Amino acid sequence: MAFSTSPIRPRMLIDGELVEASDGKTFSVYNPATREVSGEVPEATADDTNRAVAAAKAAFPAWSALGPAKRAVYLKKLAALIREHRDEIAKLDAVAMGMPVSTHFFAESAAGQYDHYAEAWPHIQGQASVNTPGHVTMTLRQPFGVVALIIPWNVPVHFFASKSAPALITGNTIVLKTSEKAPLAVARIAKLVKEAGFPPGVFNVLSGHGIPSGQILSRHMDVRALSFTGSSRTGKLIQEEAARTNLKKVILELGGKSPAIIFDDANLEKAVAQTRWSMQFNSGQVCMANSRIYVQSTIAEKFVEQFKVSYSSSVKSGNPLDKETNHGPQADELQYKHVLSYINSAKDSGATLALGGSGKLETSNGYFIEPTIFLNTPEEAKITKEEVFGPVVIINTFETEKEAITKANDTEFGLYASVFTKDISRAMRVVQALESGYVGINTTSPNTAYDLPFGGYKGSGQGREGALCSMDNFLEVKSVIMALEEE
């Protein structure tokens, strides 16, 4: 189909119907590459949010009783529809948050998520035992009921699928809230949910800001589990709201300040290419981007020169709808100003600017920021400690293995880390010492394995997600003991 550049007016999905906000209010979404309005999106009210939860609660008994094999049919239909509309979905993300269509593979991966969980349901298993004399014992795995899913703006299509698919196949009904920064692509998928024929109330999709809809979902007494991916600040607020109300289960995948450690025996060309791509992908708007690189001093000069050349020469900024573009803008004005504030703070800290360091709003009319490198950045500097979420990397040096580990761990985040070395013993020592939920050896983010758990240490969250463990997030465990009659 032809792609329209006129403002899009999507709808929310509540109780099987595509609807406006109950009060008719909308908010504008702007194309960050042009600053033109790309959509007018419903702002979910408190009434809308409560109605979505009520619809999910009403739909739960029949959906959970349906059986996973029959639930899987709906997931398979949705997967096929997403693949059919993958190009349109990519373009909608491009005009909402600036991700280039050339690097957008998330419609295909989302379809893969629905296909996977449609076939993974036989792993929903309890256990049985005769270890207690005179009894048979067992465990049952049962759905929570209504589950709330709050997804981020940086890769919305991925999280739409990776959270909803395991929640649905395990028998839960869901209310999913999209981010106000990137609601267009997932709103299109909401239409596909209706087309796939999901029963009314099973799959509800809201759009809007954190207040009121996100806050209400966090507080709601009928929501029994909530999965959130986003900032650490918001994650803490959600946890607090859940604790003050019904102690709903909360799964959090939060921010990162991921270190990459490059030893002097590493494959330098590979280390440069991979750490550079980690920062370039999605314009640095990735929670696991290796925004801190620690290079052994003996190879630091050579590494920095190669990294500068690679970073500057590989970036092709421009309209994210153009297939030649591989570097889009920051998601919106707020993110643009946020990243520039960290660049300015780094300059004030005494760090050495080696590349970039400026925004390109005046020359491009979009929220583009140059790929930026800082050297010799103080370890106590704000930019070293806090998540920037932009194409800004610091490269510092170390002398010894112990020093590298100490610097890498000196953060409240612990989502992803990586180490580059040919010494396998050293690699495993470092892996064990790093305070991170995910560690790459001779590879770095965004590279992950489909069948590994993903989640963070410390302030980067709680719980794990992934192909082999996400279903567990949405299943309660019930213990059953049955006494046997004596003969």
Side-chain angles (χ1 to χ4, degrees):
M1 64 173 289
F3 186 77
S4 172
T5 55
S6 59
I8 298 158
R9 295 189 63 89
R11 301 291 185 268
M12 300 185 294
L13 180 64
I14 301 177
D15 201 14
E17 297 298 327
L18 296 167
V19 299
E20 297 273 10
S22 56
D23 62 1
K25 291 184 178 179
T26 63
F27 62 94
S28 299
V29 175
Y30 296 87
N31 183 335
T34 64
R35 296 194 290 171
E36 297 173 345
V37 175
S38 54
E40 295 291 345
V41 182
E43 178 74 68
T45 65
D47 287 344
D48 295 327
T49 309
N50 288 324
R51 188 158 71 90
V53 174
K57 184 178 180 181
F60 172 69
W63 180 252
S64 59
L66 188 60
K70 292 183 178 179
R71 294 195 291 264
V73 173
Y74 296 98
L75 272 66
K76 284 285 190 179
K77 288 181 180 178
L78 182 55
L81 288 168
I82 291 172
R83 286 195 177 93
E84 183 181 340
H85 294 274
R86 59 183 178 271
D87 291 341
E88 181 188 2
I89 289 168
K91 290 174 182 177
L92 288 167
D93 266 344
V95 300
M97 53 74 64
M99 181 183 291
V101 295
S102 67
T103 62
H104 193 293
F105 57 86
F106 295 106
E108 188 64 38
S109 68
Q113 293 276 350
Y114 289 112
D115 277 340
H116 167 77
Y117 286 105
E119 298 168 2
W121 62 262
H123 293 283
I124 305 172
Q125 295 284 340
Q127 295 178 323
S129 168
V130 292
N131 290 333
T132 303
H135 298 79
V136 172
T137 62
M138 65 191 77
T139 59
L140 306 180
R141 307 300 305 278
Q142 296 180 297
F144 279 86
V146 179
V147 170
L149 310 172
I150 303 178
I151 64 173
W153 52 263
N154 61 330
V155 278
V157 174
H158 165 76
F159 285 105
F160 186 98
S162 67
K163 292 184 186 294
S164 65
L168 289 165
I169 197 62
T170 48
N172 300 277
T173 53
I174 64 173
V175 180
L176 185 149
K177 193 196 90 65
T178 66
S179 168
E180 71 278 6
K181 293 183 188 292
L184 300 184
V186 289
R188 183 67 182 94
I189 299 176
K191 291 181 69 176
L192 300 179
V193 170
K194 181 173 173 61
E195 188 175 338
F198 280 84
V202 168
F203 200 144
N204 303 275
V205 182
L206 303 176
S207 52
H209 292 71
I211 297 175
S213 53
Q215 185 180 64
I216 289 172
L217 291 174
S218 303
R219 293 175 173 176
H220 208 293
M221 296 298 291
D222 288 333
V223 173
R224 296 301 174 183
L226 187 154
S227 178
F228 169 78
T229 295
S231 71
S232 296
R233 175 182 174 275
T234 303
K236 290 176 183 177
L237 293 173
I238 289 172
Q239 185 84 303
E240 290 172 4
E241 296 286 6
R244 277 198 291 261
T245 51
N246 63 349
L247 277 176
K248 58 178 62 66
K249 180 178 181 179
V250 177
I251 304 104
L252 301 172
E253 194 260 276
L254 307 177
K257 193 67 182 175
S258 301
I261 300 173
I262 318 295
F263 284 97
D264 59 8
D265 67 334
N267 180 324
L268 200 61
E269 183 178 349
K270 181 178 181 181
V272 166
Q274 293 208 10
T275 53
R276 184 269 303 165
W277 175 243
S278 180
M279 292 308 306
Q280 182 186 338
F281 178 65
N282 207 17
S283 302
Q285 298 171 131
V286 181
C287 55
M288 56 180 166
N290 54 214
S291 55
R292 294 183 297 145
I293 302 177
Y294 294 102
V295 186
Q296 200 153 27
S297 60
T298 50
I299 60 166
E301 184 176 351
K302 188 175 181 180
F303 178 91
V304 169
E305 286 306 310
Q306 290 188 24
F307 192 95
K308 285 170 61 178
V309 171
S310 178
Y311 208 1
S312 60
S313 64
S314 62
V315 167
K316 295 180 177 62
S317 297
N319 186 340
L321 291 171
D322 292 341
K323 291 184 178 180
E324 294 76 22
T325 299
N326 66 10
H327 184 87
Q330 307 312 118
D332 61 9
E333 182 180 17
L334 183 64
Q335 289 303 123
Y336 179 78
K337 291 181 176 178
H338 172 84
V339 175
L340 287 180
S341 73
Y342 276 97
I343 290 174
N344 291 331
S345 75
K347 294 175 180 176
D348 293 342
S349 75
T352 302
L353 179 63
L355 184 71
S358 299
K360 299 171 67 177
L361 180 59
E362 293 183 0
T363 57
S364 69
N365 199 40
Y367 298 121
F368 294 89
I369 290 179
E370 296 176 317
T372 298
I373 302 172
F374 283 102
L375 309 177
N376 307 313
T377 308
E379 289 297 316
E380 68 276 8
K382 180 180 179 181
I383 197 170
T384 311
K385 298 296 186 185
E386 300 179 11
E387 186 174 41
V388 177
F389 230 59
V392 184
V393 64
I394 65 171
I395 304 177
N396 282 352
T397 63
F398 67 90
E399 300 293 336
T400 66
E401 180 180 317
K402 181 179 179 181
E403 181 188 0
I405 293 168
T406 299
K407 288 181 174 179
N409 286 339
D410 190 16
T411 174
E412 280 304 305
F413 295 106
L415 189 59
Y416 197 113
S418 57
V419 53
F420 288 81
T421 179
K422 295 175 183 175
D423 185 335
I424 188 63
S425 295
R426 175 162 59 191
M428 291 309 300
R429 288 194 305 269
V430 174
V431 164
Q432 292 179 65
L434 286 170
E435 297 167 356
S436 178
Y438 214 104
V439 183
I441 299 175
N442 295 322
T443 187
T444 187
S445 64
N447 191 21
T448 56
Y450 191 68
D451 58 349
L452 280 180
F454 187 86
Y457 279 24
K458 301 188 288 190
S460 288
Q462 60 185 26
R464 294 293 184 270
E465 296 177 306
L468 299 182
C469 59
S470 282
M471 289 193 301
D472 290 339
N473 290 333
F474 303 111
L475 289 166
E476 286 275 33
V477 178
K478 180 180 289 182
S479 296
V480 181
I481 183 167
M482 179 174 63
L484 303 178
E485 295 290 338
E486 295 184 3
E487 293 185 6

